[in-house]
Amino acid sequence: MTKIRRPSRTARVLLPAAVAGVLLSGCAQADEAPAATGAPSATSPTVTVTPPPSTGPAPSATASAGARPAAGTLLVSDFGSDTVTFVDPSRGATGSVEVGTAPYGLALGKDGRAWVATAEGVAVVDTAARKRLALVPYRTDTGPVTTGEYRGGGMGIALSPDGKRVYVGVNVPGGNGTLEVIDTASVEVVDVVDVGRRPFDVDVSRDGSAVYATNHDSFDVTVVDADSLEARRIEVAPYGTEGGLGSWLKPHYTAVRPSDGKLLLPFEGERLAVVDPATGRVAIESMTANTHQHGATVAPDGTLFAVGTGPIDPSEDRGPSLTVRSPEGVERVYPLDGPHEDVAVSADGESAYVTGGFTRDGYWDGISVVDLGSGEVKRLAAGSRPLGVVVF
């Protein structure tokens, strides 16, 4: 195990509101903080600001109906609204579709249907016609439909490789969550599996044999056998579990490494937890960004992308960033302006798209487009507090 500096992180818990208010808030169990309005001003010389494509209303949901979105188009979930928004990465939003309250994660099928985890159920969107086809209600009782970081309902979501199943992590406020299984042919929930608290992310193994729910508030990943639905818990807590629900140092998002199927979970820009889902063993590698981290994805060649949301303690930690880590562990860190949440990568591997929604305060209504060669960052207005993002 690589020696990591600043062991004092093991004692970090949620600070009193008077202190935490000056920080880029993390994600400990607390009431929803008030949102910042508008995008932060550009402070980095590598950041350019691109205005919305027009000052008039956005194109209607039926614009270009019947035509599949062009390759490279983005779809983002608008956590601050009840829509998903189509985004041209060169010019911004091109239209939206109503899906349900506070959409979080989304998954895109090869058939062009998008599956969106909302507070009310899983929305099924025809991306060619730009309309919602169905809203699949949850079997899990999540209480009243609300908004904000701790709302009940769907969070992480993923499709099986054969497109026959959708797996959605369902948050139950104040308790453990579930993994609900949707049959894509009948468009209904067919199974429910108990998982941990607040399943931020859901991923599937490359062969479809296992499903992974990353549970933020219980410091673990639930490994679910896709056939038997038997579940196993793997604790992932490289800083320990001190502080419980008040701790900042919890797992958020997971990426499945293509080469060996191991799970990659970034923590604080300091530690990368590499989890073997077969044995439950957790190895720790060092990282360099030194910032609180959320979204993660991996490219086909094994390159890891991790979103830094900003410092827990500004006196010790660095600001928001995107870490790009090669399969050999070499990192390049791209500074970002303001908090961000999740990330997707272009098919050619030349651009990364980082959503500005952020699950806590400080978010903004757009995405950052990062040119991975030059390091230039372009900001685009795109949706309302966008969280999840996929690329057509």
Side-chain angles (χ1 to χ4, degrees):
M1 179 183 297
T2 303
K3 184 178 180 180
I4 307 295
R5 60 185 177 82
R6 288 212 319 277
S8 60
R9 272 202 189 274
T10 57
R12 293 199 178 181
V13 297
L14 185 64
L15 298 175
V19 178
V22 302
L23 309 181
L24 290 175
S25 294
C27 39
Q29 186 75 23
D31 292 335
E32 177 74 5
T37 56
S41 60
T43 57
S44 167
T46 63
V47 174
T48 59
V49 178
T50 299
S54 72
T55 56
S60 69
T62 57
S64 302
R68 289 285 293 272
T73 299
L74 312 178
L75 186 66
V76 299
S77 57
D78 296 322
F79 194 58
S81 182
D82 59 357
T83 58
V84 292
T85 294
F86 294 85
V87 182
D88 180 329
S90 66
R91 60 190 181 94
T94 63
S96 299
V97 177
E98 291 186 7
V99 290
T101 303
Y104 194 101
L106 71 167
L108 181 64
K110 295 178 182 178
D111 59 1
R113 288 188 296 175
W115 301 79
V116 187
T118 81
E120 303 174 55
V122 173
V124 188
V125 176
D126 181 330
T127 60
R130 295 198 176 187
K131 67 178 182 180
R132 190 181 80 177
L133 302 176
L135 183 66
V136 185
Y138 303 117
R139 284 190 187 176
T140 304
D141 182 5
T142 62
V145 173
T146 59
T147 61
E149 181 183 1
Y150 302 102
R151 65 127 175 92
M155 298 188 75
I157 191 168
L159 268 164
S160 62
D162 62 10
K164 294 182 179 180
R165 293 285 187 272
V166 169
Y167 302 98
V168 57
V170 179
N171 179 43
V172 178
N176 286 343
T178 63
L179 182 75
E180 298 208 358
V181 185
I182 298 173
D183 179 271
T184 59
S186 63
V187 193
E188 62 182 2
V189 176
V190 293
D191 284 297
V192 181
V193 181
D194 292 334
V195 296
R197 295 179 71 115
R198 275 213 296 165
F200 255 59
D201 196 15
V202 173
D203 297 272
V204 183
S205 64
R206 296 189 73 189
D207 63 3
S209 64
V211 186
Y212 313 115
T214 303
N215 309 303
H216 178 272
D217 285 356
S218 48
F219 296 89
D220 58 28
V221 171
T222 304
V223 179
V224 179
D225 184 285
D227 291 329
S228 69
L229 299 183
E230 292 182 357
R232 295 180 289 111
R233 176 183 183 270
I234 300 176
E235 182 176 286
V236 187
Y239 294 94
T241 61
E242 182 181 355
L245 292 179
S247 172
W248 295 73
L249 308 176
K250 304 172 187 174
H252 293 85
Y253 294 81
T254 294
V256 181
R257 190 158 64 187
S259 61
D260 58 9
K262 290 184 178 180
L263 312 182
L264 307 177
L265 292 86
F267 285 79
E268 306 306 314
E270 290 186 336
R271 305 182 184 188
L272 178 68
V274 182
V275 180
D276 185 335
T279 65
R281 294 191 181 96
V282 181
I284 304 298
E285 300 177 5
S286 61
M287 298 186 74
T288 61
N290 188 22
T291 187
H292 191 59
Q293 288 176 317
H294 276 210
T297 192
V298 67
D301 67 355
T303 300
L304 175 68
F305 296 78
V307 179
T309 68
I312 293 177
D313 183 349
S315 70
E316 295 186 11
D317 308 327
R318 300 193 185 108
S321 63
L322 175 68
T323 292
V324 180
R325 181 185 178 93
S326 75
E328 296 75 31
V330 178
E331 294 187 347
R332 181 175 179 182
V333 179
Y334 300 80
L336 298 176
D337 182 27
H340 292 68
E341 182 68 24
D342 207 356
V343 59
V345 184
S346 62
D348 60 13
E350 295 181 358
S351 299
Y353 310 112
V354 195
T355 56
F358 193 38
T359 51
R360 289 188 66 84
D361 58 317
Y363 58 82
W364 59 286
D365 296 335
I367 63 171
S368 289
V369 181
V370 182
D371 184 309
L372 299 174
S374 68
E376 180 184 6
V377 181
K378 178 176 66 177
R379 294 165 63 92
L380 292 175
S384 173
R385 194 176 179 177
L387 289 190
V389 56
V390 293
V391 184
F392 287 90

